[in-house]
C-alpha cells in the first residue's frame, strides 16, 4: 500500500524537444510559469495549492508527553516547558487526581497544555472484563473533564498494554491513543490508536534525545517523547539537567520543528487530509475561495498551513480571513503561504502591489502532491507549447519504478503515477 518516500526517489521528465531535468522530491514547488488570463474553475483550482504536511511549514514534529501525573511533572517539568513556551500532553490517572490537585491544576496549568487520559486506576487492561474496560477507558475521561473542566481527547495505555479489543474500545471515546512501543510516525501512515514513542527515562542522556529530534527533522516525521518522573520522583525518573538540556536543544531547532500536543497533531493530520479548497472567484486579480474540512469544529479546531501559487506579478499580498505566513519566491514563481482554520467563511487573497514580470519559456514544475505519499504521486508540469511528456519515478539504482505519459498537451498538465504496487521503503 505504501509507496517510496519522495526523499528516497527521483523524478525525470522528458519531452520531444529534449529538455531533460532531474528533480529531487525533497524540494517543494520548484517553479512554473503562471499567467492567469481568465477565471479559474473549481477543477483547475486544485493546481493552485498544496497543504503542508506539518503546521507552520515546519519540517518535523515533536510532542512531549508525561505519564501518571507525578508531582515533579507539575512542578519542575511545567516550569521548564513554560520557559520555552512548549506545550505538553499530560496523561493522568483520574483516580489519582483528588479535588485539591484538581483545583491546583485548574489554577496553574495553562490551556496550551493537553490533559489526556491514562485510565481510571492504571490497571492492566488486558486482564479486566469488557464492562470494567469501558469504565476504565471512558470513565477516566468523564472524571477528568468534570474535575478539570477541559476536553480530554487522547488516551495512553497503562503499562503500554493493548490489543484489538482495547483499541476498538478506546476509538469510541478518543481521537487517538499513545502506546509505549518504540518508533516514529510518518504523517501519511499514522496508526491513530497505537502511537509509537521514544522513551526519555532514567539513564537516557539528553544527547541521545537530541538525536531523535534530528531524525524527525531530517525525515519529516513525528517524534512522540514519553517521560514519567523527574528528579527522583516517579517511575524511572529523568535527571532534570538532561530534561532542561534537551528542551534547550529543541528550542535551537524551533525554526524546523513544530512542538505540539498529541491532540493538535492528530487534528492537523485529520483536517489536512479532509480539507477541500474551492474557488468562488479566482482570477489574475483576486482569489476568493473557501477552505472546508467537513469535520466536527468543536473538536477539530487546529489551523492548517496552505501554500498558494499566485500570479508572478503579485509582489505584496493582502489576506482576509486567514493569517499570511509569508510570500515565497521559488523557481521564478510566487507563493502565498497562509495559516487558516477550515470553515465555511470565505477568504480573500489579492495583490496590493505589483512587480514587473520576467518571461519564462521552458518546462516548469507546477505542483507536487502530499509528501510522503501513500498509493500514488500527483504532479503537474507546465509545457509552454503542445508536446508529449513522460514523467518517470526512478530509484537511486537507476531502475524505472513507474512511468506516466501524455501526448499532445500544453499548459498545466496533471499526471498521476500509481505506486500502490511498490514495496515499502
Amino acid at each position: 500500500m505504501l509507496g517510496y518516500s519522495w526523499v528516497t526517489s527521483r523524478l525525470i521528465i522528458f519531452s520531444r524537444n529534449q529538455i531533460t531535468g532531474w528533480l529531487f522530491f525533497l524540494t517543494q514547488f520548484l517553479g512554473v510559469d503562471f499567467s492567469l488570463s481568465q477565471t479559474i474553475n473549481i477543477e483547475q483550482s486544485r493546481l493552485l495549492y498544496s497543504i503542508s504536511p506539518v503546521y507552520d511549514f515546519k519540517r518535523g514534529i515533536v510532542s512531549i508527553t508525561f505519564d501518571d501525573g507525578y508531582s515533579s511533572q507539575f512542578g519542575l517539568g511545567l516550569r521548564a516547558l513554560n520557559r520555552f513556551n512548549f506545550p505538553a500532553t499530560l496523561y493522568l490517572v483520574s483516580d489519582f487526581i483528588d479535588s485539591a490537585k484538581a483545583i491546583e491544576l485548574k489554577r496553574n496549568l495553562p490551556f496550551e497544555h493537553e490533559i489526556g487520559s491514562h485510565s481510571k486506576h492504571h490497571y492492566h487492561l488486558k486482564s479486566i472484563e469488557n464492562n470494567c474496560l469501558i469504565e476504565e477507558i471512558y470513565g477516566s475521561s468523564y472524571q477528568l473533564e468534570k474535575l478539570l473542566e477541559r476536553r480530554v481527547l487522547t488516551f495512553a495505555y497503562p503499562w503500554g498494554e493493548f490489543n484489538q479489543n482495547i483499541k476498538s474500545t478506546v476509538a469510541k471515546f478518543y481521537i487517538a491513543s499513545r502506546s509505549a512501543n518504540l518508533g516514529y510516525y510518518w504523517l501519511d501512515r499514522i496508526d491513530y490508536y497505537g502511537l509509537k514513542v521514544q522513551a526519555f527515562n532514567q539513564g537516557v542522556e539528553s544527547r541521545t534525545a537530541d538525536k531523535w529530534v534530528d531524525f524527525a527533522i531530517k525525515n519529516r516525521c513525528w517524534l512522540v517523547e514519553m517521560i514519567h518522573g523527574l528528579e527522583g520522583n516517579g517511575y524511572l525518573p529523568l535527571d532534570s539537567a538532561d530534561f532542561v538540556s534537551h528542551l534547550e536543544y529543541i528550542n535551537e531547532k524551533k525554526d524546523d520543528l513544530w512542538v505540539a500536543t498529541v491532540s493538535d497533531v492528530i487534528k492537523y493530520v485529520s483536517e489536512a487530509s479532509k480539507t477541500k479548497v474551492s474557488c468562488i472567484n479566482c482570477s489574475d486579480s483576486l482569489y476568493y475561495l473557501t477552505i472546508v474540512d467537513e469535520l466536527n469544529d468543536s473538536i477539530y479546531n487546529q489551523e492548517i498551513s496552505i501554500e498558494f501559487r499566485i500570479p508572478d506579478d503579485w509582489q505584496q499580498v493582502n489576506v482576509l480571513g486567514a493569517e499570511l505566513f509569508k510570500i515565497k519566491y521559488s523557481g521564478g514563481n510566487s507563493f502565498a503561504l497562509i495559516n487558516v482554520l477550515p470553515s465555511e467563511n470565505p477568504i480573500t487573497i489579492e495583490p496590493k502591489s505589483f512587480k514587473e514580470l520576467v518571461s519564462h519559456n521552458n518546462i516548469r514544475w507546477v505542483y507536487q502532491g502530499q509528501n510522503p505519499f501513500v498509493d500514488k504521486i500527483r504532479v503537474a508540469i507546465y509545457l509552454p507549447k503542445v508536446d508529449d511528456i513522460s514523467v518517470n519515478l526512478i530509484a537511486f539504482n537507476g531502475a524505472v519504478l513507474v512511468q506516466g505519459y501524455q501526448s499532445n498537451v500544453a499548459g498545466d498538465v496533471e499526471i498521476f503515477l500509481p505506486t500502490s504496487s511498490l514495496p515499502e521503503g
Side-chain angles (χ1 to χ4, degrees):
M1 178 179 178
L2 179 69
Y4 284 82
S5 166
W6 291 9
V7 176
T8 58
S9 302
R10 293 181 286 187
L11 186 81
I12 189 168
I13 302 171
F14 299 99
S15 79
R16 268 195 323 226
N17 59 16
Q18 300 302 307
I19 296 178
T20 302
W22 288 92
L23 302 175
F24 287 86
F25 276 124
L26 184 60
T27 60
Q28 292 183 332
F29 282 90
L30 298 186
V32 64
D33 260 343
F34 188 72
S35 179
L36 293 171
S37 58
Q38 58 184 356
T39 299
I40 299 168
N41 62 37
I42 290 175
E43 286 301 310
Q44 292 170 316
S45 71
R46 65 187 181 186
L47 297 180
L48 296 180
Y49 70 93
S50 177
I51 297 174
S52 173
V54 180
Y55 177 64
D56 229 18
F57 306 95
K58 307 291 188 180
R59 295 176 59 86
I61 307 172
V62 60
S63 294
I64 300 166
T65 70
F66 292 99
D67 283 13
D68 302 334
Y70 296 113
S71 60
S72 58
Q73 299 169 3
F74 303 127
L76 187 154
L78 289 179
R79 284 197 301 272
L81 288 164
N82 294 340
R83 170 184 160 194
F84 299 102
N85 294 316
F86 291 158
T89 300
L90 293 93
Y91 287 112
L92 305 182
V93 180
S94 61
D95 261 24
F96 294 176
I97 306 298
D98 57 25
S99 57
K101 176 58 71 174
I103 292 171
E104 178 187 347
L105 287 174
K106 283 195 293 185
R107 182 186 300 124
N108 299 321
L109 185 66
F111 267 88
E112 289 76 14
H113 299 292
E114 175 189 5
I115 294 294
S117 168
H118 199 32
S119 80
K120 194 170 182 180
H121 299 98
H122 207 280
Y123 292 157
H124 293 271
L125 297 183
K126 290 182 179 180
S127 64
I128 63 178
E129 299 294 331
N130 276 344
N131 57 336
C132 295
L133 184 65
I134 292 175
E135 177 64 16
E136 279 298 309
I137 291 171
Y138 169 67
S140 173
S141 66
Y142 177 83
Q143 195 171 2
L144 289 171
E145 288 181 349
K146 191 172 181 180
L147 282 169
L148 303 177
E149 299 178 356
R150 60 169 79 190
R151 198 79 176 262
V152 176
L153 294 175
T154 67
F155 186 84
Y157 302 109
W159 309 101
E161 298 174 353
F162 63 96
N163 54 29
Q164 189 55 52
N165 180 47
I166 294 169
K167 287 178 71 172
S168 298
T169 304
V170 169
K172 295 176 182 178
F173 306 108
Y174 302 89
I175 64 172
S177 53
R178 202 218 64 205
S179 74
N181 296 336
L182 299 182
Y184 303 84
Y185 267 107
W186 281 258
L187 300 180
D188 65 327
R189 40 180 156 152
I190 293 176
D191 178 359
Y192 282 48
Y193 295 95
L195 299 177
K196 297 177 182 178
V197 302
Q198 295 296 331
F200 195 18
N201 289 326
Q202 189 178 60
V204 178
E205 296 181 348
S206 59
R207 60 185 178 182
T208 299
D210 295 346
K211 291 178 181 178
W212 304 336
V213 171
D214 293 337
F215 183 92
I217 294 171
K218 180 180 178 181
N219 293 280
R220 296 174 181 259
C221 63
W222 182 18
L223 161 66
V224 181
E225 297 184 348
M226 178 181 68
I227 302 170
H228 286 83
L230 289 167
E231 202 61 30
N233 172 248
Y235 173 73
L236 295 176
L238 180 66
D239 184 90
S240 62
D242 280 312
F243 179 62
V244 173
S245 176
H246 181 53
L247 293 183
E248 290 172 344
Y249 188 79
I250 291 174
N251 191 56
E252 291 174 8
K253 301 292 182 177
K254 62 184 178 183
D255 288 345
D256 291 320
L257 272 179
W258 181 30
V259 183
T261 63
V262 172
S263 63
D264 280 349
V265 177
I266 294 297
K267 291 175 190 178
Y268 185 92
V269 174
S270 299
E271 291 179 66
S273 68
K274 298 291 185 181
T275 290
K276 296 179 181 179
V277 177
S278 300
C279 280
I280 300 171
N281 178 19
C282 295
S283 68
D284 57 356
S285 60
L286 173 72
Y287 286 178
Y288 184 60
L289 42 85
T290 59
I291 302 172
V292 297
D293 60 17
E294 299 179 353
L295 295 172
N296 183 347
D297 290 342
S298 69
I299 295 176
Y300 295 94
N301 54 6
Q302 168 62 47
E303 286 188 338
I304 62 172
S305 301
I306 308 181
E307 183 169 313
F308 281 93
R309 184 165 54 104
I310 58 176
D312 288 347
D313 61 345
W314 290 16
Q315 186 169 20
Q316 293 182 301
V317 171
N318 274 328
V319 177
L320 298 177
E323 174 197 0
L324 178 63
F325 180 76
K326 70 175 182 179
I327 298 295
K328 184 178 80 173
Y329 304 101
S330 176
N333 279 317
S334 303
F335 303 92
L337 280 59
I338 70 168
N339 293 323
V340 61
L341 183 64
S343 72
E344 298 291 341
N345 300 323
I347 73 164
T348 301
I349 306 174
E350 59 184 349
K352 61 180 180 180
S353 66
F354 298 87
K355 63 180 178 179
E356 184 177 349
L357 286 176
V358 178
S359 177
H360 302 288
N361 297 310
N362 57 342
I363 293 177
R364 302 180 69 78
W365 189 267
V366 177
Y367 175 90
Q368 68 179 39
Q370 183 179 351
N371 179 11
F373 53 87
V374 180
D375 56 2
K376 65 187 174 188
I377 304 170
R378 174 181 161 219
V379 298
I381 311 296
Y382 173 80
L383 294 181
K385 60 183 179 179
V386 175
D387 207 337
D388 302 335
I389 187 167
S390 175
V391 180
N392 297 336
L393 177 66
I394 298 177
F396 276 120
N397 63 8
V400 177
L401 304 176
V402 185
Q403 183 180 59
Y405 178 81
Q406 291 198 37
S407 61
N408 297 315
V409 290
D412 289 350
V413 182
E414 190 172 19
I415 297 177
F416 291 88
L417 302 179
T419 60
S420 58
S421 62
L422 298 179
E424 291 188 4

